[in-house]
Amino acid sequence: DERNLMIENAQGLLKEKEPEIREDDYDDKYDEDDKYDDDDDKDELFEENYINEELNPKLWNGNELQDMVKEKIEQIVDKFKESLEQDGIKFNIEDILIVGSNASYNYNNDSDLDVHIITDMSKEDCDKHHNAILYNLYKSIFNKEYDIEINDVDVELYVEDKETTVKSNGIYSLSKGWIKKPVKENIKKINVDAEVQEWTEKAEKVKLSGNPEEIDSFIDELYKMRKESINSEGEYGKGNLIFKALRRNKTIEHLMEYKRELENQELSL
């Protein structure tokens, strides 16, 4: 089945040479189920009504996480840990964080509850680079197998090393409370329509090449642009907005699907 196939693929990856992946790449190209967590389907990426007066009342009582929400998150994380241990994979949990728009004031009806499981990858048998691939693969399997909601808010799991620097306006620890209290940001609207159109046209040209390596290189370039933008300009940096628009209009998804089609054809007789 799909789950066993993904596990076999992970085992193949682990036998290859050590990949050049930064520890904070929890949303890299291996994570193909990465969702558009802070936008809806309107043309504008950020509207003024995304800045709410209070934290999401479906999850919070004022600035405190609801007890039932905390208990349910812990139950979900325990289930994820169980899925790893059933396959003989050790997994230590250092902390559980809530980040993103539902730990801030810019949530909307389509925003996910981003739950980040913090682990010490250096404690396990494999080196942390291989652990990053393995854990994120299981995370992708888990997110595909389970359609979990808490009070009508979709839950999305992530796994990252404790040395990772989390970029978010608000960061809430289930064990320690607020690590970073959110502030109501004055979001400056940035029009990236021209850049999005340019990248979309580039994607079409790459697709016409019919070369899986060129497609892979193009996708890598997009993720690199996004990460550099977040690191230098924050969540609302131009590069991140362009990336999210390309993900929302399915450009990235279609490229990944087409790359798989090409590889299927190459491996078929």
Side-chain angles (χ1 to χ4, degrees), residues 24-45:
D24 61 348
D25 280 352
Y26 59 85
D27 60 351
D28 64 10
K29 66 179 179 180
Y30 293 106
D31 183 13
E32 294 181 8
D33 66 338
D34 194 18
K35 289 186 177 180
Y36 198 63
D37 57 8
D38 49 11
D39 301 288
D40 65 6
D41 293 327
K42 296 179 181 178
D43 292 335
E44 292 292 335
L45 287 173

Side-chain angles (χ1 to χ4, degrees), residues 221-262:
E221 187 179 352
L222 283 175
Y223 275 91
K224 181 180 178 182
M225 174 188 69
R226 180 199 189 193
K227 196 162 293 293
E228 289 177 348
S229 174
I230 291 175
N231 288 338
S232 63
E233 303 172 290
E235 183 180 357
Y236 305 116
K238 179 177 282 190
N240 191 36
L241 298 186
I242 294 169
F243 177 92
K244 289 190 170 187
L246 292 170
R247 184 167 55 186
R248 185 179 59 177
N249 70 17
K250 305 294 185 181
T251 294
I252 298 173
E253 179 182 336
H254 292 162
L255 278 176
M256 288 179 169
E257 290 175 351
Y258 185 60
K259 179 196 166 193
R260 285 193 289 269
E261 288 178 12
L262 291 173

Side-chain angles (χ1 to χ4, degrees), residues 105-129:
Y105 297 97
N106 62 318
Y107 62 89
N108 60 67
N109 290 334
D110 297 319
S111 297
D112 294 333
L113 175 59
D114 293 334
V115 176
H116 288 224
I117 307 171
I118 308 302
T119 184
D120 185 352
M121 296 187 185
S122 65
K123 284 185 177 180
E124 309 303 349
D125 296 334
C126 296
D127 63 76
K128 62 170 58 179
H129 297 291

Side-chain angles (χ1 to χ4, degrees), residues 14-228:
L14 295 176
K15 291 178 182 177
E16 296 176 0
K17 67 179 182 178
E18 183 175 289
E20 296 180 356
I21 300 176
R22 290 176 51 184
E23 286 84 349
D24 61 348
D25 280 352
Y26 59 85
D27 60 351
D28 64 10
K29 66 179 179 180
Y30 293 106
D31 183 13
E32 294 181 8
D33 66 338
D34 194 18
K35 289 186 177 180
Y36 198 63
D37 57 8
D38 49 11
D39 301 288
D40 65 6
D41 293 327
K42 296 179 181 178
D43 292 335
E44 292 292 335
L45 287 173
F46 299 102
E47 295 286 350
E48 290 179 359
N49 60 6
Y50 286 178
I51 306 303
N52 301 283
E53 291 300 316
E54 60 180 358
L55 298 177
N56 194 338
K58 294 180 179 180
L59 306 170
W60 306 88
N61 289 325
N63 291 326
E64 297 298 322
L65 187 67
Q66 295 177 19
D67 290 340
M68 290 297 293
V69 172
K70 179 182 177 182
E71 291 174 10
K72 188 58 64 176
I73 291 172
E74 291 172 337
Q75 181 182 349
I76 294 166
V77 172
D78 285 343
K79 184 69 175 178
F80 174 72
K81 182 179 180 181
E82 179 185 315
S83 71
L84 285 159
E85 293 177 341
Q86 284 177 345
D87 290 327
I89 299 172
K90 296 179 182 178
F91 187 64
N92 69 89
I93 299 174
E94 298 276 324
D95 203 352
I96 303 169
L97 304 180
I98 300 174
V99 305
S101 53
N102 265 311
S104 186
Y105 297 97
N106 62 318
Y107 62 89
N108 60 67
N109 290 334
D110 297 319
S111 297
D112 294 333
L113 175 59
D114 293 334
V115 176
H116 288 224
I117 307 171
I118 308 302
T119 184
D120 185 352
M121 296 187 185
S122 65
K123 284 185 177 180
E124 309 303 349
D125 296 334
C126 296
D127 63 76
K128 62 170 58 179
H129 297 291
H130 287 158
N131 276 326
I133 295 175
L134 187 62
Y135 291 156
N136 279 302
L137 184 77
Y138 270 80
K139 179 267 300 180
S140 295
I141 294 171
F142 188 89
N143 285 333
K144 284 184 170 68
E145 282 188 342
Y146 296 96
D147 185 15
I148 302 172
E149 295 180 352
I150 295 179
N151 294 335
D152 297 323
V153 178
D154 290 331
V155 177
E156 188 81 3
L157 289 188
Y158 297 87
V159 180
E160 56 186 283
D161 186 68
K162 69 175 186 177
E163 300 300 327
T164 299
T165 302
V166 179
K167 302 285 186 180
S168 178
N169 182 32
I171 303 173
Y172 185 88
S173 163
L174 264 62
S175 63
K176 302 168 188 158
W178 286 107
I179 295 175
K180 180 183 177 184
K181 290 187 177 181
V183 296
K184 295 176 183 177
E185 301 172 293
N186 292 320
I187 302 173
K188 181 181 178 180
K189 292 184 180 181
I190 301 175
N191 190 318
V192 294
D193 290 348
E195 290 88 346
V196 170
Q197 180 62 33
E198 181 180 347
W199 278 95
T200 302
E201 291 173 358
K202 286 181 181 178
E204 287 301 318
K205 290 180 181 178
V206 170
K207 189 174 179 180
L208 288 173
S209 73
N211 187 327
E213 291 184 0
E214 285 192 29
I215 295 173
D216 208 34
S217 178
F218 180 83
I219 293 172
D220 282 345
E221 187 179 352
L222 283 175
Y223 275 91
K224 181 180 178 182
M225 174 188 69
R226 180 199 189 193
K227 196 162 293 293
E228 289 177 348

